[in-house]
Amino acid sequence: MPSIEKRDMRKLLLVALLHLPLPLLAQSFHPSIEAGYGVTGSRLYSGEAFSAQGSVSVFERNGLQVRAELLHQRGTAGSNGPRCDRLDDQYCLGTSDRNRITALGAALHIPLGMVGRFRAYAPVGIGLYNRQTTTTEAEGPIAVCVVDRQLVSCAGNPPFRTVSYNTRATVPGYNVGFGLSARFSSVNLYAELRAHDLIESNSEAAAIPISVGIRF
């Protein structure tokens, strides 16, 4: 009999561990998840990007919140202008940066009041950002010379080719934004614009997602 009671206790404990934390976490930490579409930036380039973010509340008082956040964004920023770092600008056809940015940080959500049935707030945050970039540069025979009063391809023109290389960095950064949220039943739906700036001199990387999400 004692062995049966022990097995029953283990089962009860397992059931409690599997079922109790979810509502407790939802009530205590108000987790949220969101997806977004926006801009990724790098040097003088910008382009489309997709993002996802999750967060939990670690402090709340009088509408003020401090949330721990995890962000991931990926997209490609490109230029069609004559700017190459590893190829000759004279023959440069364009450059693209495929960015993958992951950030772990904390944001203060400052209440701004009500806008109709929506609650307005301003998120201001800091974090540690990891950037991984694959850069592709292209060049070709675009220089033109005048020979016998005719425009022809210059003799020194290179053939069409591309070169790719990877760079990465882990740097601090900050973000600011604006959001609107409204409560429906037991959850909050929200939309948010956020601008992230990585403190990195050589890449000038940035992320500007427009996100929609749900907060429990």
Side-chain angles (χ1 to χ4, degrees), residues 49 56 75-76 134 148 160 178-179 184 192:
V56 294
T76 300
T134 299
D148 295 331
F160 288 104
F178 176 79
F184 294 92
E192 190 175 286

Side-chain angles (χ1 to χ4, degrees), residues 27 34 64 69 71 90 103 130 149 152 159 161 181 202:
Q27 293 175 10
E34 64 186 67
L64 196 71
E69 301 177 333
L71 166 74
Q90 181 180 355
N130 176 261
R149 298 183 180 180
V152 298
R161 68 168 181 143
S181 70
N202 60 341

Side-chain angles (χ1 to χ4, degrees), residues 197-214:
D197 185 24
L198 282 63
I199 304 176
E200 184 182 5
S201 60
N202 60 341
S203 79
E204 301 178 11
I208 309 177
I210 302 173
S211 305
V212 293
I214 183 170

